[in-house]
Amino acid sequence: MELKTFQHKKEIRMKYGLKTALAWFLFLFGLTTLVYPRIAHHSLFPVFKYSTLKLYHPALIPIVYVSSYLSRAWGAFLFAFMLGGIIAAFVSSQRMRSLFSGKSIKSYIFAAAFAPAMTVCSCAMIPVFGGILIAGAGIGPAISFLLMAPAANILALIFTAEIISWKLAVARLIFSFFGAIFVGYILDKTSWGKKEEERYGKITAAKATEQIKRNFYEKSEDALKEAWGLVSKALPYLLAGVAVVSYVEAYLPKEVVGAYLTGIHGIILGAAIGIPMYTPTLVEVFLVKALINLGMSPGAAIAFLIGAPMASIPSMMGVSRIINWRCVLTYAVLAIGVGIISGFIYASIVGTL
């Protein structure tokens, strides 16, 4: 009996060993590409840097922009897609429901509090968001998690404090935290949000029985499959969105933007302009600093730093492959509203950087 059990385990290791090794290698390699630059202060691999975009032929602009984006973000994507797959394959539905159930406000607080540890942009958060939904998270806490990470992750807050001011960094954290909870909670109460949660609930229920029976090697293979499923769903639409944004980046004069980002209309524009003007994580800090130098008001600055990471064309297109468009548009409109309200509160209470 023991010999048969040993042979069975050996057969499983031989059958799934390569895929298991590949799954965890890809995950750890992606993690290394994220951690190494923070420690060594230079990239592990060359990064393609372009000159002024509008100097290129219009047909080449999206190619140049997407190539530059991928040269910086491919490691983050590798890590994020594999993490999403691992969460979907390994985390039990019971555990995920206990942590991210939409029925408890504690789940929203936990989601918003844990998200800043994910130092990735709004696009790289998409596969992680998909993974926790598949694993059994409620739609509300999952959305709070999706929005909070790019809006106020640890590195973004540190850069905001160092490059702009500590007051703006603290405001960014507070407004993003409560804003993400608010948006997730409201979406959870909509009929289309509940419908989406029910759809994923059926997927989770089907996987729950399989998870109990599957061992580490089989779950590792599942993680690869789940990661690839997220890649095929979200990545093409995400990159299409980045390509569209390349023309905005190329032809939108920053001087004109700076001139209009003052006063009441400046706060409203600051929150909304992030939709077509996508900026990867940390880049938005330098962009806001440049716009402040051109005359951008503090209220408009905080509105942009909250609204832009939460709602942008590439991230919305990617998320739309995981949840329906009504949910996407709902959280985007609410996020812009949070940005505008945050801008007015900051302008009235603090008023300076």
Side-chain angles (χ1 to χ4, degrees), residues 139-157:
I139 186 71
I143 288 291
S144 296
F145 187 78
L146 172 72
L147 301 183
M148 182 63 181
N153 63 67
I154 293 170
L155 282 181
L157 294 172

Side-chain angles (χ1 to χ4, degrees), residues 52-219:
T52 305
L53 272 177
K54 63 183 177 182
L55 296 179
Y56 292 91
H57 187 279
L60 293 177
I61 286 176
I63 298 173
V64 170
Y65 193 73
V66 170
S67 299
S68 177
Y69 177 74
L70 285 177
S71 73
R72 288 180 284 107
W74 69 267
F77 278 134
L78 178 61
F79 169 74
F81 278 112
M82 285 308 306
L83 178 60
I86 288 168
I87 290 171
F90 279 87
V91 180
S92 70
S93 57
Q94 292 86 353
R95 181 62 175 166
M96 187 57 70
R97 287 195 189 103
S98 68
L99 293 175
F100 288 89
S101 170
K103 295 179 175 63
S104 171
I105 192 64
K106 291 180 181 178
S107 297
Y108 292 91
I109 295 172
F110 178 80
F114 176 69
M118 299 291 295
T119 55
V120 293
C121 66
S122 57
C123 292
M125 274 301 298
I126 296 170
V128 184
F129 168 71
I132 65 175
L133 274 179
I134 294 170
I139 186 71
I143 288 291
S144 296
F145 187 78
L146 172 72
L147 301 183
M148 182 63 181
N153 63 67
I154 293 170
L155 282 181
L157 294 172
I158 292 172
F159 268 67
T160 303
E162 290 182 352
I163 304 300
I164 305 176
S165 79
W166 67 267
K167 287 191 288 186
L168 206 67
V170 171
R172 185 177 187 180
L173 172 62
I174 294 171
F175 289 128
S176 297
F177 180 79
F178 288 104
I181 292 174
F182 169 75
V183 174
Y185 184 81
I186 295 299
L187 181 59
D188 181 74
K189 303 306 176 187
T190 63
S191 59
W192 46 94
K194 291 182 183 296
K195 182 179 179 181
E196 204 64 28
E197 186 169 309
E198 289 173 5
R199 182 170 73 89
Y200 273 97
K202 293 176 182 178
I203 297 173
T204 303
K207 289 180 177 293
T209 306
E210 296 177 6
Q211 273 187 328
I212 297 172
K213 300 176 181 178
R214 301 180 79 77
N215 57 43
F216 175 80
Y217 300 100
E218 292 169 324
K219 287 180 180 179

Side-chain angles (χ1 to χ4, degrees), residues 328-339:
V328 174
L329 293 176
T330 299
Y331 84 66
V333 170
L334 290 172
I336 296 304
V338 167

Side-chain angles (χ1 to χ4, degrees), residues 25 36 61 78 84 121 131 182 193 201 238 246 253 280 292 319 323 330 338 347:
F25 169 77
Y36 178 82
I61 286 176
L78 178 61
C121 66
F182 169 75
L238 192 156
S246 67
I292 287 171
V319 174
I323 58 176
T330 299
V338 167

Side-chain angles (χ1 to χ4, degrees), residues 171 174-175 267 298-299 302-303 337-352:
I174 294 171
F175 289 128
I267 293 173
I302 195 66
V338 167
I340 292 171
I341 293 169
S342 302
F344 281 118
I345 294 174
Y346 186 85
S348 61
I349 295 176
V350 182
T352 63

Side-chain angles (χ1 to χ4, degrees), residues 262-320:
T262 58
I264 295 175
H265 63 276
I267 293 173
I268 298 172
L269 180 60
I273 201 172
I275 296 175
M277 198 172 180
Y278 172 72
T279 53
T281 187
L282 304 185
V283 176
E284 83 280 359
V285 178
F286 295 94
L287 175 60
V288 166
K289 178 63 175 177
L291 292 174
I292 287 171
N293 293 337
L294 293 170
M296 184 185 208
S297 70
I302 195 66
F304 181 91
L305 288 172
I306 292 172
M310 287 187 176
S312 67
I313 288 174
S315 65
M316 285 194 289
M317 289 182 69
V319 174
S320 72

